């Protein structure tokens, strides 16, 4: 026995030492992996290149770029025009893959990022449409910071890039669009605020350096993928100057001017007969010169090839290459420019100096990223590694983002929140009840882990799980009986229904706003049989016509979860049981199915077209029946508003004599806009019994006119207010930016006269008056 005891002690000592050695080895591997990527350029150990002028960090970046371009041959310059940029060994420059994605977390959709080894996953936040429902700009920026931390860590580890082609800031113009889930919704100001906030989070706030380089896409008027035989590669979007200026371009302008984004991506479609990636008015004139882009313009993948091969916009591939580069395109996602640009120069269609301009823009971004600063470990973000990916803090932010984005659509009774004492057994039913990958939407990577809805609800109550449908297509009723029986025995029933990427996705637009297959039938049958209350939870990117459920008294509560990310199941359960108080608001209108009658997706007009029987698009121009309006969302408490202070008259100083529309407006370019702001003080009182976060939306109704919107969002704030508490919130509304409208000629004007400011049920009228006699009729 004594001998056995000694052997056991020896074994324990050996195991203990092995554990210590394993820990040391893991630490060593981790620390090596953090800086395992080879130095991209300007390696201080390479005497042949370390002294070159473009490697000197004390030299201004424009001079470094000029020096480097002066050393390149034409062939080397052209080899840098594609997303898979070639190495230039004689100058110590490695090859680089520009294409990475980070729509709502680092993704492996682009070839620039790989998940493996110490980097098997990244934090997957809610899909953008869900996050935007929070109407919380500080949250959007926080998510961007976390994503860029993980992106930098993966770059340092040799498995990721630094140029991310995100966010998608297109307007959700049509509810059928399969990529609407990727967007910040239907309102241009919300989309622009989201763009600027997320980009600032990704890129950091140093004007000289970039943490990662973001990209706002897809410019412009892109919101159709594949509908009724029309695809994005062939589509010519016929758009008025008015709609371009006051809708489609707004988020891109804000992304550049307020977010200082490092890149803009042009889209596949044509706009008024010209491919966007070959349109100098859009690229060089608007993005570069008017908005002042400090960065590069990249094509959507194979767009240059598409404008030649598919759209037949040019007669030869060399003409396509030349037109794109001369229009302002700097980088081709694809091989087209690499294959045809040298021949374009030989045929005198393009000058080498045009190529120099393009390469200068991409090299400038790489230098701002520190890629020409030598050793990675010595750079500002060089310490980030695998320990900084999928951290508890990051997962907590993903959960908080889902909490804030989930929208309570209906709550009769109120039914929600459920009680852990009264609702001890929950029937969890529906094709999305055990969803995992579905919750992260598209352009996602590999999540750190998943909590499905049924798993989340199991944390609060005993669950009886029955899907009821094999999948979201719900083609038959074979599983209905089991679902109905489960609901009969439970204290409450949660139906998790909706869509997934087989219904709405890139390349796939919807033809209907109704629930797929027999989902509605399953919901109604379960509701009729259920012993306790029935809660309908919807997963989707686009809106769904659930009018039947809104009207059904046996379905007292409806929740929209969007695609809530990796922590979605926990977030849904927290909302259902009151662990979190919902405060999300819909960032898009939910239309009835009849809205689609005689409304082709190819009709681009935002405003009503009476001659075609088209009622207009989005809350700004549509005035018909809805299932749920833009901005709708309930809480477990109740808030009241009171406009405590706001001016009644704002004078607008006008420079000289300016043309007007019927003598009732001033061109923004002729107004003295600096410091021209409408300050509104609002008292928000929580008159309910629960603490809650209120999403305050401020709308403006401009003076009448056929070309003005009915109303438009001009400000929003998310404010936490304790039960019984009153908080005063101040919003400052920039008059020229947000109280202006756009006339038919695409000119932005400030309407003179009474503007209604609407906050909930409160209305305030402010009169805008020109303060000079220089305003004349025209």
């Amino acid at each position: 026995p004594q001998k056995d005891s000694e052997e056991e002690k020896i074994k324990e000592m050996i195991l203990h030492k092995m554990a210590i050695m394993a820990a040391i080895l893991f630490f060593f591997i981790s620390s090596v992996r953090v800086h395992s990527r080879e130095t991209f350029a300007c390696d201080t150990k390479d005497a042949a290149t370390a002294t070159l002028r473009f490697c000197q960090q004390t030299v201004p970046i424009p001079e470094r770029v000029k020096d480097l371009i002066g050393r390149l041959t034409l062939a080397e310059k052209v080899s840098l025009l594609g997303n898979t940029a070639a190495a230039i060994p004689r100058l110590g420059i490695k090859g680089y893959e520009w294409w990475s994605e980070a729509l709502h977390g680092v993704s492996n959709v682009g070839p620039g990022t790989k998940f493996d080894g110490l980097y098997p996953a990244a934090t997957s936040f809610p899909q953008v449409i869900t996050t935007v429902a929070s109407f919380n700009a500080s949250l959007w920026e926080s998510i961007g910071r976390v994503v860029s931390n993980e992106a930098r860590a993966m770059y340092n580890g040799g498995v990721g890039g630094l140029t991310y082609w995100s966010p998608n800031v297109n307007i959700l113009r049509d509810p059928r669009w399969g990529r609407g889930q990727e967007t910040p919704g239907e309102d241009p100001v919300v989309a622009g605020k989201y763009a600027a906030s997320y980009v600032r989070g990704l890129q950091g706030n140093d004007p000289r350096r970039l943490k990662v380089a973001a990209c706002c896409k897809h410019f412009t008027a892109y919101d159709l993928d594949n509908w009724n035989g029309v695809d994005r590669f062939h589509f010519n979007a016929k758009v008025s100057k008015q709609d371009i200026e006051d809708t489609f371009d707004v988020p891109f302008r804000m992304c550049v001017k307020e977010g200082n984004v490092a890149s803009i991506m042009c889209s596949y479609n044509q706009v008024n007969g010209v491919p966007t990636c070959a349109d100098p008015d859009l690229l060089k004139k608007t993005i570069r010169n008017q908005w002042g882009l400090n960065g590069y313009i990249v094509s959507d993948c194979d767009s240059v090839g598409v404008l030649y091969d598919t759209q037949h916009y040019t007669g030869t591939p060399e003409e396509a290459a030349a037109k794109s580069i001369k229009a302002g395109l700097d980088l081709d996602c694809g091989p087209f420019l690499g294959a045809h640009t040298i021949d374009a120069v030989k045929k005198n269609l393009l000058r080498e100096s045009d190529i120099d301009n393009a390469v200068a823009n991409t090299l400038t971004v790489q230098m701002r990223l520190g890629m020409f600063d030598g050793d990675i470990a010595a750079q500002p973000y060089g310490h980030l590694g695998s320990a900084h990916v999928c951290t508890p803090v990051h997962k907590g932010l993903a959960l908080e983002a889902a909490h804030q984005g989930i929208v309570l659509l209906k709550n009769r009774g109120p039914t929600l929140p459920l009680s852990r004492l009264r609702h001890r057994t929950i029937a969890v039913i529906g094709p999305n009840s055990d969803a995992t990958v579905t919750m992260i939407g598209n352009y996602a990577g590999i999540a750190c882990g998943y909590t499905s809805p049924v798993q989340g609800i199991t944390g609060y109550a005993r669950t009886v799980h029955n899907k009821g449908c094999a999948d979201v297509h719900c083609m038959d009723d074979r599983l209905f009986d089991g679902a109905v029986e489960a609901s009969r025995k439970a204290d409450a029933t949660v139906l998790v229904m909706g869509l997934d990427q087989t219904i709405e996705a890139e390349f796939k637009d919807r033809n209907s706003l109704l629930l797929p297959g027999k989902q509605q039938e399953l919901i109604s049958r379960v509701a009729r049989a259920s012993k306790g209350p029935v809660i309908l939870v919807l997963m989707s990117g686009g809106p769904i016509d659930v009018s039947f459920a809104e009207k059904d008294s046996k379905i007292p509560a409806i929740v929209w979860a969007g695609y809530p990310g990796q922590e979605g199941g926990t977030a849904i359960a927290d909302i259902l049981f009151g662990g979190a108080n919902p405060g999300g608001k819909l960032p898009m209108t939910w239309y009835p199915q009849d809205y689609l009658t005689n409304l082709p997706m190819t009709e681009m007009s935002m405003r009503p077209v009476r001659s075609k029987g088209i009622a207009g698009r989005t809350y700004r121009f549509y005035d018909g029946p809805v299932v749920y309006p833009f901005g709708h969302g309930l809480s477990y408490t109740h808030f009241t508003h009171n406009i405590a202070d706001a001016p009644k008259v704002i004078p607008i100083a006008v420079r000289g004599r300016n043309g007007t529309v019927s003598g009732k407006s001033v061109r923004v370019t002729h107004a003295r806009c600096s410091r021209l702001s409408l300050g509104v003080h609002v008292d928000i009182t929580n008159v309910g019994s629960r603490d809650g976060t209120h999403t305050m939306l401020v709308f403006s109704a401009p003076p009448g006119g056929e070309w003005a919107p009915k109303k438009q969002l001009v400000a929003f704030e998310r404010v936490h207010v304790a039960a019984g508490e009153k908080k005063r919130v101040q919003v400052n509304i920039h008059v020229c930016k947000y109280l202006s409208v756009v006339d038919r000629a695409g000119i932005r004007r400030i309407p003179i006269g009474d503007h209604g400011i609407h906050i909930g049920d409160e209305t305030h009228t402010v009169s805008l008056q020109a303060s000079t006699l220089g305003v004349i009729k025209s």
Side-chain angles (χ1 to χ4, degrees), residues 47-69:
T49 62
T51 58
L52 296 176
R53 186 167 173 78
F54 69 80
C55 290
Q56 306 308 304
Q57 296 182 46
T58 56
V59 175
I61 285 179
E63 293 182 29
R64 297 171 70 188
V65 169
K66 184 178 179 181
D67 177 78
L68 175 52
I69 290 175

Side-chain angles (χ1 to χ4, degrees), residues 491-504:
D491 299 319
T493 298
V494 176
L495 285 152
V496 192
M497 314 296 286
L499 314 178
D500 66 12
Q501 300 304 307
T502 66
I503 302 291
E504 55 177 355

Side-chain angles (χ1 to χ4, degrees), residues 393-669:
V393 171
H394 295 181
K395 295 175 185 177
L397 185 62
L399 176 59
E400 179 60 23
H403 283 159
Q404 293 192 24
I406 291 174
V407 181
L408 179 60
L409 298 174
K410 176 185 178 182
N411 193 21
R412 303 278 170 83
T415 296
L416 295 177
L418 297 173
S419 166
R420 298 183 73 166
L421 294 176
R422 296 195 310 276
H423 305 114
R424 297 188 177 188
T425 302
I426 308 294
V428 185
I429 295 168
N432 281 331
S433 57
D434 59 355
T436 53
V437 174
T438 292
M439 296 192 300
I440 62 177
N442 71 349
Y443 277 81
I446 299 173
C448 308
Y450 300 98
T451 303
S452 70
V454 67
Q455 289 172 328
I457 293 168
T458 300
Y460 281 91
R462 189 174 75 85
T463 56
V464 181
H465 181 221
N466 190 300
K467 292 186 69 168
C469 297
D471 53 41
V472 295
H473 294 272
C474 201
M475 299 304 293
D476 57 61
D477 61 2
R478 288 179 297 172
L479 303 177
F480 281 18
D481 289 345
V484 168
E485 187 61 26
S487 69
R488 283 199 179 106
K489 298 176 180 178
D491 299 319
T493 298
V494 176
L495 285 152
V496 192
M497 314 296 286
L499 314 178
D500 66 12
Q501 300 304 307
T502 66
I503 302 291
E504 55 177 355
E506 187 171 8
F507 305 115
K508 189 186 294 287
D509 299 322
R510 289 191 285 163
N511 288 310
S512 170
L513 300 183
L514 301 176
L515 285 165
K518 295 180 177 291
Q519 283 197 41
Q520 179 173 332
E521 182 183 340
L522 172 63
I523 294 166
S524 296
R525 282 182 57 178
V526 166
R528 287 196 297 270
S530 179
K531 182 179 74 171
V534 174
I535 298 93
L536 174 61
V537 177
L538 298 166
M539 282 191 196
S540 72
I544 304 172
D545 182 355
V546 287
S547 303
F548 77 97
E550 170 62 28
K551 297 171 184 174
D552 191 337
S553 60
K554 293 185 177 294
I555 305 172
I558 305 175
V559 172
W560 177 68
Y563 294 124
Q566 66 177 49
E567 307 294 330
T570 302
I572 289 169
D574 289 345
I575 293 289
L576 295 181
F577 281 89
N581 191 347
K585 304 283 187 183
L586 290 177
M588 72 295 207
T589 303
W590 283 37
Y591 305 92
Q593 173 70 9
D594 289 347
Y595 174 74
L596 303 182
T597 304
N598 299 320
L599 180 62
M601 278 191 74
T602 51
E603 172 56 60
M604 296 296 294
S605 177
M606 298 298 297
R607 290 158 176 78
V609 184
R610 306 300 179 194
S611 61
K612 297 181 181 180
I614 293 172
R617 295 185 181 274
T618 78
Y619 80 92
R620 295 164 67 225
F621 303 106
Y622 171 69
D623 201 20
V626 300
V627 180
Y628 297 111
F630 172 90
H632 175 71
L634 307 175
S635 171
Y636 294 152
T637 189
H638 183 66
F639 301 94
T640 61
H641 304 91
N642 178 52
I643 298 176
D645 184 45
K648 294 185 177 180
V649 177
I650 294 181
I652 300 172
V654 182
R655 299 185 183 96
R657 297 170 64 82
N658 297 277
T660 68
V661 176
S662 302
K664 295 180 181 179
S665 69
V666 175
R667 287 181 68 151
V668 164
T669 53

Side-chain angles (χ1 to χ4, degrees), residues 670-686:
H670 294 153
R672 298 186 183 276
C673 289
S674 61
R675 300 180 183 176
L676 187 56
S677 181
L678 168 62
V680 181
H681 294 80
V682 183
D683 288 336
I684 300 173
T685 305
N686 183 344

